[in-house]
Structure formats: structure tokens, C-alpha cells
Amino acid sequence: DAGVTQSPTHLIKTRGQQVTLRCSPISGHKSVSWYQQVLGQGPQFIFQYYEKEERGRGNFPDRFSARQFPNYSSELNVNALLLGDSALYLCASSLAKWQGNTEAFFGQGTRLTVV
Amino acid sequence: AQSVTQLDSQVPVFEEAPVELRCNYSSSVSVYLFWYVQYPNQGLQLLLKYLSGSTLVESINGFEAEFNKSQTSFHLRKPSVHISDTAEYFCAVSPNQAGTALIFGKGTTLSVSS
């Protein structure tokens, strides 16, 4: 079985632009979460979706939004990009409704550079 | 609120030496505990987890961690490291609450040299 797949792997955008990142979870996993990992820091939670509904949201501005599709894949959108949005964006999938007591499987991430 | 503190940002060791990566956490509710490893230019891989039961948990590649509730710690240890263990290690907690996710520490870079 394929693991969590993310696309694209790398992306360069200009300040003020909008970006869409995509994630396909492991087959059978209904929960998808997004994390932002700034260089030299641990990942920070952005969103969690389960069965197409938002189940959790981290402390990120409204410029960040996400959605989950009927096939459980997910998109993360970031509007009005700032230099500080440059980071590795990680998607994780899991079986449970929330990631409290189960293993989260991470994709390799999308490296976003804002110039 | 929950937080995770990894006490060492970098740990350099020689091959075959023992190593301990320290992790302390703060939480007002019960938590589950995890260690993840990240190799260069890759995502995170689960190394081991504590959900319940025995406070000592082990991974298949020789790492172990012990949950100490009184000291709110979950230190990672390996008795003899290999060059291939060079990576970034993240300690994470997940509160036992709906709607929450993993909360990570800032990471510890383990550098193993010969």
C-alpha cells in the first residue's frame, strides 16, 4: 500500500500569492491533519479533518484554510503569502477520529518557499 | 494547555556509545506520548509510543523510552548507537481530548560519528 502522498514536493511562491497543497491519505484512513514545520522547529498543528468535517484547528490566521474530499484526500490553502509562511508542510493520516491515541503516518511534506 | 520541552537541541556522540535524549512535558490532562524521527528531507516516522500499560516502551531498532508520570518525562535511550541513527528526533504529546492533535517539541539533532 502507498503511504501518505503529498504534492507538490517543492514550491516557490511570491509574497501575496495564494498556494494549494494536496495530500492523499493511506487507503482506509479517514483522518487527515496538517502541520507546519519551520526550519529548526518542531511541527505545529494547523488543521485536522475527519469524515470531511473540521475536527480541530491550531493557532493559525484565517489566511489558512483546508478541506477534505469524499475520497478523504485533502487540500491546504494559504492566501496572501508572507515570507514567514516558508516552511515544510506535513500531512498526516490516521484511522482514529483524532490523533490522541493512535499512530499518525506522515507524508514527506511540501517545501514551500516564499520570496 | 500542553507543552513539550526537549532539553538538548544537539547531542553529538561516537558510534557504539549510549545516548539519552531528554523530553519533559506539561499538561493539565492525561496525555499519550510519542517519539518521532526525521531523516534529512523526509517526513516524520513514528519511533515508539506510550498509550497505557508498561511505562517502558521499546522500538524495533533498539531505542527505548520510559514514561515517568511524577517527573512528567519521556526520555529516549539507546545503549549503543550507529551512524545510521543520525537524525532529528521529536518528542510529542497528545492530550486525551477530542479535537486535539500532536504537540511537538523543538527537536534534538543526534549526530553519530565514528
Side-chain angles (χ1 to χ4, degrees):
Chain A
D1 274 347
V4 178
T5 57
Q6 293 186 242
S7 62
T9 56
H10 295 83
L11 202 53
I12 299 176
K13 289 286 189 178
T14 304
R15 277 178 296 175
Q17 285 188 315
Q18 175 264 342
V19 69
T20 298
L21 311 180
R22 296 176 177 82
C23 171
S24 293
I26 292 172
S27 177
H29 286 193
K30 299 180 179 179
S31 175
V32 170
S33 296
W34 288 95
Y35 290 81
Q36 180 195 65
Q37 186 179 13
V38 174
L39 197 62
Q41 301 291 318
Q44 285 202 312
F45 172 63
I46 310 175
F47 287 109
Q48 192 219 346
Y49 278 77
Y50 180 81
E51 289 279 17
K52 304 184 292 292
E53 290 189 12
E54 183 182 303
R55 302 288 179 170
R57 173 187 284 252
N59 188 23
F60 279 80
D62 292 343
R63 298 184 297 107
F64 289 77
S65 64
R67 55 180 174 169
Q68 187 177 32
F69 298 98
N71 66 353
Y72 305 112
S73 66
S74 177
E75 286 183 351
L76 175 70
N77 295 284
V78 186
N79 292 322
L81 285 167
L82 304 174
L83 295 178
D85 295 330
S86 295
L88 180 67
Y89 288 84
L90 295 165
C91 173
S93 77
S94 61
L95 284 168
K97 184 179 288 187
W98 79 92
Q99 293 177 343
N101 62 349
T102 187
E103 179 176 355
F105 294 83
F106 285 81
Q108 292 199 332
T110 294
R111 174 73 64 187
L112 172 65
T113 303
V114 182
V115 298
Chain B
Q2 293 74 34
S3 65
V4 176
T5 302
Q6 292 185 242
L7 297 159
D8 306 292
S9 58
Q10 297 189 14
V11 174
V13 294
F14 288 107
E15 195 173 20
E16 297 183 6
V19 70
E20 178 180 76
L21 307 184
R22 297 179 294 167
C23 173
N24 286 95
Y25 69 92
S26 171
S27 178
S28 57
V29 301
S30 62
V31 295
Y32 303 107
L33 298 154
F34 305 83
W35 276 98
Y36 280 85
V37 60
Q38 186 175 37
Y39 297 100
N41 300 314
Q42 293 191 23
L44 301 171
Q45 300 174 31
L46 180 67
L47 191 58
L48 44 76
K49 62 188 177 189
Y50 171 78
L51 303 181
S52 65
S54 172
T55 57
L56 182 67
V57 290
E58 300 177 351
S59 72
I60 58 173
N61 55 355
F63 283 94
E64 65 177 30
E66 187 161 18
F67 169 50
N68 188 319
K69 188 175 182 179
S70 62
Q71 297 187 3
T72 60
S73 67
F74 191 53
H75 301 332
L76 181 69
R77 303 185 187 94
K78 189 171 185 179
S80 176
V81 294
H82 302 289
I83 298 284
S84 59
D85 292 325
T86 295
E88 188 82 12
Y89 291 80
F90 292 96
C91 180
V93 302
S94 183
N96 188 4
Q97 288 179 315
T100 59
L102 292 165
I103 300 163
F104 288 88
K106 291 186 176 182
T108 297
T109 302
L110 175 62
S111 300
V112 183
S113 56
S114 57

